[in-house]
Amino acid sequence: MQLESDQLAGQFVLASEPIPRFLNWDHCELGSLHLALAPGAKSVPVVDAEGNQLGVLLGTPIDLAQRRVIADSYSISEKLEDVNDVDDFIETHIYSLAGSFLFILSTPTKRRVYLDANGTMSLVYDAQARLAGATAAALLSEDQYRQRFRAKLYKSLDVENAGWFTGDLTAHAGVNRLLCNHYLDLDTWTANRHWPASPITVSLDPTSTCTRIFERVGQTIEILARTGKTSVALTAGSDSRLLLSCCKNLLREVSFVTVKAPNADVDTNCAKRLALKFKLAHETLAYCEATHEQAELWRLRAGHCVGGNNVKMHPSVRALEGRYFVGGLGGEVGRGFLWLNAKPDTVIDAKGLVSRLKLPQSDEILQSVEDWIRPISHFDALTILDLAYIELRMSSWGFCDTYVKPNQCELHPMISRANYVDMLSLPPDLRRKGEIYFRQIERTWKEISEIPINKYGNYRDVIAPALAVVRNPKRAYRKALQIMAASR
């Protein structure tokens, strides 16, 4: 496919030298850095207490303290030169934000890129060429994109079905992914972990901790609803129910949407029940399958790093263009998604972790995961598995397709540093039970908790697991391998 400028809407390129490739993009200088923004990409200048520019925020950052989507500029009431630790400065002033963003720091002494708490604004980089950007398609010429494509690994990972390039790997040789909780040093062009610096303290008051999470989620949705038309995902899942509970006082300000996807009858069934019972403004979006050309463009905009059902069904959500779409990703961080039967002293090595991720044991995958584990090997097993889910699964699988729908602003309000710290602080026994949010949903809006989660509420709940295996035997097989690996 020809790599044209308009196919890369919403993307960007960052370099140490001027970027002449896409002349119709917006070009700006950040000190000694050069930033090129494709049509649709949003940037906001960041300044210190004296008005000196520190860099820019890309994406849709949300200031909960000021109750606003940051659209003009963001002022920090401190000078970077007055602090000893840059990472502490960034934690205080950048990771206090919600929304979806990345931050480019550019001062005479520091040039770095920081992602948000889960890397929802994806970034890849070519260290040899000293280029960073949204995807490999933005960094490479058409010939380079084709020649450097890792076809063998792509097939081994089964990307066309549900696989992905984990760790710092991408579908192209020489192009690496920046994982969340790491910054990219633009002087050395190396990735460095900056969070967490120490173990997270276990909460002594889980109820108050959950209350804070729900309050932040509700505040984020309220800010979006005051800023523009906002629709919230409504399914049968627990995280969707969490979002609904946080919207209890916003039912006149937001609408709810459900995609009538194949094999998702339980979602549409439950969403309709909720909508009717609680008089929600709800729309069901018809399933629309992508054409060959649309699917190829989707893969290109994701750098060919992920595939699966989203490639086929993405035209189904075209109706959401021009509004904020609120999703529920991030909630599983609080439920120990990769724990299975692990204990704090369980030995976590690359082979075992790759099995938990349900990925093949190829040399490249094992080496990338081994390199990832090394700097955090002093943490207990549960912390390592939590970080693996956030970084090796969500950051590299969940958000490598950030730029595939450039006219749609998708946000996940459970994702923020404050929310993740609170989720990770919840006592392990509560997290393992997987019910940590449900009690808070009951306290927030008891009536919606009375409709079963992920169930029809009739005989169909008995036959649904068997049907799922028949429909997707590969997924069931991978899950069985994951469980067996964990048991070993």
Side-chain angles (χ1 to χ4, degrees):
M1 176 178 286
Q2 182 70 25
L3 303 185
E4 300 291 347
S5 173
D6 60 350
Q7 295 173 327
L8 302 177
Q11 301 201 25
F12 67 94
V13 178
L14 181 66
S16 300
E17 302 294 334
I19 307 164
R21 185 177 173 206
F22 300 125
L23 297 177
N24 62 327
W25 290 18
D26 287 336
H27 293 254
C28 61
E29 294 184 10
L30 303 173
S32 58
L33 296 174
H34 297 265
L35 176 65
L37 300 169
K42 297 179 290 185
S43 67
V44 173
V46 177
V47 297
D48 68 12
E50 296 184 353
N52 301 310
Q53 187 163 348
L54 296 176
V56 296
L57 285 161
L58 302 186
T60 308
I62 299 173
D63 187 338
L64 294 182
Q66 296 295 319
R67 302 260 176 166
R68 68 181 182 117
V69 175
I70 303 172
D72 44 14
S73 65
Y74 180 57
S75 298
I76 292 176
S77 58
E78 189 177 8
K79 291 178 63 179
L80 182 60
E81 290 78 4
D82 294 338
V83 301
N84 295 322
D85 192 312
V86 175
D87 291 335
D88 281 348
F89 178 88
I90 297 297
E91 282 295 323
T92 300
H93 298 290
I94 299 299
Y95 286 101
S96 62
L97 301 175
S100 177
F101 62 87
L102 63 78
F103 175 55
I104 302 171
L105 172 68
S106 181
T107 71
T109 58
K110 290 288 184 293
R111 307 191 310 168
R112 298 177 177 180
V113 181
Y114 290 84
L115 306 178
D116 65 26
N118 213 152
T120 66
M121 287 284 292
S122 175
L123 178 136
V124 300
Y125 61 98
D126 182 335
Q128 185 172 358
R130 293 187 168 250
L131 285 173
T135 66
L139 302 186
L140 305 177
S141 68
E142 180 185 0
D143 287 343
Q144 289 174 325
Y145 194 90
R146 183 178 60 254
Q147 292 165 4
R148 292 164 67 171
F149 183 67
R150 290 168 158 158
K152 184 177 179 180
L153 187 55
Y154 183 89
K155 183 177 181 180
S156 172
L157 289 168
D158 195 21
V159 173
E160 285 296 311
N161 186 29
W164 73 96
F165 287 84
T166 194
D168 66 345
L169 298 173
T170 73
H172 293 83
V175 177
N176 295 94
R177 180 170 304 285
L178 180 64
L179 296 175
C180 64
N181 304 325
H182 299 70
Y183 68 80
L184 178 62
D185 188 319
L186 296 172
D187 292 315
T188 63
W189 288 87
T190 58
N192 303 274
R193 179 176 289 279
H194 64 88
W195 188 89
S198 59
I200 294 171
T201 303
V202 176
S203 171
L204 299 178
D205 187 355
T207 298
S208 296
T209 299
C210 281
T211 299
R212 286 197 302 269
I213 295 170
F214 278 54
E215 287 175 347
R216 293 189 200 100
V217 171
Q219 290 169 6
T220 303
I221 298 172
E222 180 185 8
I223 291 168
L224 292 172
R226 284 195 287 103
T227 306
K229 187 174 182 180
T230 301
S231 295
V232 181
L234 187 62
T235 68
S238 58
D239 293 330
S240 173
R241 200 68 56 89
L242 187 161
L243 293 178
L244 177 57
S245 72
C246 292
C247 292
K248 181 180 181 181
N249 299 320
L250 299 171
L251 299 186
R252 293 187 177 184
E253 282 74 46
V254 302
S255 63
F256 297 86
V257 295
T258 309
V259 177
K260 192 175 183 180
N263 306 324
D265 293 347
V266 66
D267 286 325
T268 53
N269 180 283
C270 188
K272 286 180 180 179
R273 291 172 64 194
L274 289 165
L276 287 172
K277 185 173 179 63
F278 301 104
K279 297 180 174 58
L280 309 178
H282 176 248
E283 56 185 313
T284 300
L285 304 181
Y287 175 73
C288 181
E289 193 159 307
T291 64
H292 174 76
E293 291 74 18
Q294 289 172 327
E296 280 298 294
L297 180 57
W298 194 101
R299 294 185 182 97
L300 174 73
R301 284 174 167 166
H304 281 82
C305 286
V306 70
N309 288 333
N310 286 337
V311 181
K312 298 178 181 179
M313 67 178 291
H314 75 272
S316 307
V317 296
R318 187 175 293 131
L320 300 177
E321 293 181 357
R323 62 175 110 167
Y324 294 118
F325 174 59
V326 177
L329 294 182
E332 287 176 328
V333 169
R335 294 195 291 271
F337 185 82
L338 288 179
W339 288 7
L340 296 175
N341 62 343
K343 299 177 181 179
D345 60 352
T346 298
V347 176
I348 304 296
D349 59 14
K351 287 186 177 181
L353 188 46
V354 168
S355 293
R356 286 175 185 264
L357 292 168
K358 297 183 281 188
L359 294 173
Q361 304 270 336
S362 73
D363 290 342
E364 286 181 278
I365 296 294
L366 289 171
Q367 185 62 58
S368 179
V369 172
E370 188 174 309
D371 292 342
W372 175 86
I373 290 177
R374 194 174 300 113
I376 58 171
S377 58
H378 58 288
F379 286 122
D380 66 78
L382 302 185
T383 299
I384 294 173
L385 292 172
D386 286 334
L387 292 174
Y389 179 73
I390 293 170
E391 300 171 21
L392 302 183
R393 173 74 181 264
M394 290 297 292
S395 189
S396 54
W397 167 78
F399 299 111
C400 66
D401 63 354
T402 301
Y403 309 95
V404 298
K405 299 186 291 287
N407 298 317
Q408 181 180 309
C409 186
E410 183 173 318
L411 298 151
H412 301 274
M414 279 182 269
I415 296 174
S416 71
R417 178 70 87 229
N419 280 347
Y420 275 10
V421 169
D422 275 344
M423 289 179 191
L424 296 174
S425 77
L426 290 165
D429 58 331
L430 291 182
R431 295 179 62 197
R432 197 183 291 277
K433 291 176 183 177
E435 299 177 354
I436 57 169
Y437 306 134
F438 190 75
R439 301 305 169 213
Q440 184 64 33
I441 293 171
E442 284 185 313
R443 288 187 288 269
T444 305
W445 192 356
K446 182 174 176 56
E447 291 78 7
I448 67 169
S449 71
E450 294 170 351
I451 293 180
I453 288 175
N454 282 325
K455 292 183 178 180
Y456 294 96
N458 56 33
Y459 72 93
R460 298 172 72 180
D461 293 323
V462 178
I463 63 174
L467 289 175
V469 173
V470 173
R471 288 166 176 166
N472 196 338
K474 283 188 176 181
R475 185 177 186 277
Y477 176 69
R478 286 196 301 268
K479 184 65 177 177
L481 290 179
Q482 180 193 42
I483 294 172
M484 286 189 293
S487 66
R488 289 196 297 268

